[in-house]
């Protein structure tokens, strides 16, 4: 792929269709891209202090050049912004800007900002349009596409939310250069996930390119974002509101959310780090149940180890975790039905599958050995 080229991936959802534009330098074109869709809109930008300090000037210059009026609400970085308080503050600020139904919210930041601003846009005046400008690798490959928005509740992460699709996603690969390596590794977990779900060739590509992606090489990142967005778009188009196949995107996530809940959401364990471990564990548990071969599970773990993930839960921050607590978190998962556990497991690399009514005795024994 020519790294100077902006490529576009369509997300075909009928009246809610939109494009994901991918490539370096897109931020400088944000104004003209947005003006082409909404020439008369006023913009309410939601960002965090880190992103705003690093890249706010570039976005402002681009919007100024396009003659688009804007105001910005800037929150503190971190998961804590995805809260009732954070939602209220953002909604009140956007209303204070005088935004109307025909105006636009811009989510400018990582997945936290995308989830929070997207939710705010979805409920403000019963729903106004929004544009995602994702600035983390995780947000570019995953959270900015698909329309899931949410805040966290005492009862768990992402428990309060709605589906609200953006009208445009602008993924500027050059913006990722300022991202700490640890955050890029976290994003890589969600990239290799697409290979593990249904694309063994992409899994192999990810293994070969792990170092370049995590080091932040623009061409590797652009290619990884393009492939990931196309993979996610395919799944979302087939199952927008997660009645079936979209659940596969949660590979490793039931384990991951349980680890995150035990580690606390203070930055000690990043979501992508938890997902890296969770996917390795999902494959090991699949092998234990006889669903997939031990060789495949070992290969997945080796790939994640080589990329720098901790794949043994007992070595994660704050470990060892309580097995009872882990199981309680897994039962509280949104996929659980009538208290019966649902996990995304695998029949092999590139063959993820939804398993309902998971044998809790076997899971408990497995967790006890691994954690
Ligand atoms: N909606 C979905 O489908 C979906 C999918 C996956 C994850 N999520 C959510 O996404 C969130 C995690 O997103 P995240 O990993 O992007 O975290 P994040 O938004 O907290 O960003 C991580 C950190 O990187 C900083 N940052 C962002 N862009 C930067 C840049 N270009 N340079 C330097 N620093 C930068 C941020 O200020 C923050 O401190 C979680 O809340 C998760 O639940 C949502
Ligand atoms: Zn995830």
């Amino acid at each position: 792929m020519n790294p100077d080229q902006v490529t576009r991936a369509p997300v075909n959802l009928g009246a809610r269709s939109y494009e994901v534009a991918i490539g370096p330098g897109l931020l400088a074109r944000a104004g003209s891209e947005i003006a082409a869709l909404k020439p008369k809109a006023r913009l309410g930008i939601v960002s965090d202090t880190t992103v705003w300090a690093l890249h706010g000037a570039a976005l402002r210059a681009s919007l100024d050049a396009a003659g688009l009026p804007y105001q910005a609400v800037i929150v503190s970085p971190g998961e804590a912004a995805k809260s009732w308080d954070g939602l209220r503050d953002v909604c009140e600020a956007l209303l204070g800007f005088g935004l109307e139904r025909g105006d636009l919210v811009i989510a400018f930041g990582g997945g936290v900002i995308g989830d929070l601003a997207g939710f705010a846009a979805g409920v403000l005046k019963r729903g106004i349009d929004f544009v995602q400008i994702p600035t983390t690798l995780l947000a570019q490959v995953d959270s900015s596409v698909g329309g899931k928005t949410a805040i966290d509740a005492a009862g768990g992460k992402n428990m309060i939310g709605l589906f609200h699709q953006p009208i445009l996603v602008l993924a500027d690969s050059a913006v990722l250069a300022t991202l700490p390596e640890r955050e890029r590794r976290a994003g890589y977990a969600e990239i290799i996930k697409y290979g593990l779900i249904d694309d063994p060739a992409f899994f192999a590509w990810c293994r070969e390119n792990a170092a370049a992606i995590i080091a932040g090489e623009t061409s590797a990142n652009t290619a990884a974002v393009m492939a990931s967005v196309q993979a996610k778009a395919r799944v979302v188009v087939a199952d927008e509101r997660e009645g079936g196949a979209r659940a596969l995107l949660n590979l490793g996530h039931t384990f991951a959310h349980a680890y995150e809940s035990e580690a606390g959401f203070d930055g000690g364990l990043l979501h992508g780090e938890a997902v890296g471990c969770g996917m390795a564990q999902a494959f090991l548990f699949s092998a234990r149940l006889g669903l997939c071969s031990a060789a495949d599970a070992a290969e997945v773990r080796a790939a994640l180890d080589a990329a720098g993930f901790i794949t043994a839960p007992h070595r994660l921050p704050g470990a060892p975790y309580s097995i009872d607590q882990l199981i309680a978190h897994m039962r509280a998962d949104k996929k659980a039905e009538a208290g019966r556990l649902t996990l995304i497991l695998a029949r092999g690399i590139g063959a993820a599958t939804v398993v309902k009514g998971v044998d809790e005795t076997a899971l408990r024994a497995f967790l006890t050995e691994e954690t």
Side-chain angles (χ1 to χ4, degrees), residues 1 11 69 90 107 128 133 153 166 170 173 181 279 299 337:
M1 178 188 297
V11 183
V90 165
I128 71 176
I133 308 183
L170 298 173
S173 338
E181 182 174 293
M279 291 189 300
E299 190 179 345
E337 284 172 15

Side-chain angles (χ1 to χ4, degrees), residues 336-352:
E337 284 172 15
R340 296 173 77 221
L341 280 166
T342 297
L343 289 178
I344 313 304
L345 299 175
R347 299 189 188 283
I349 291 170

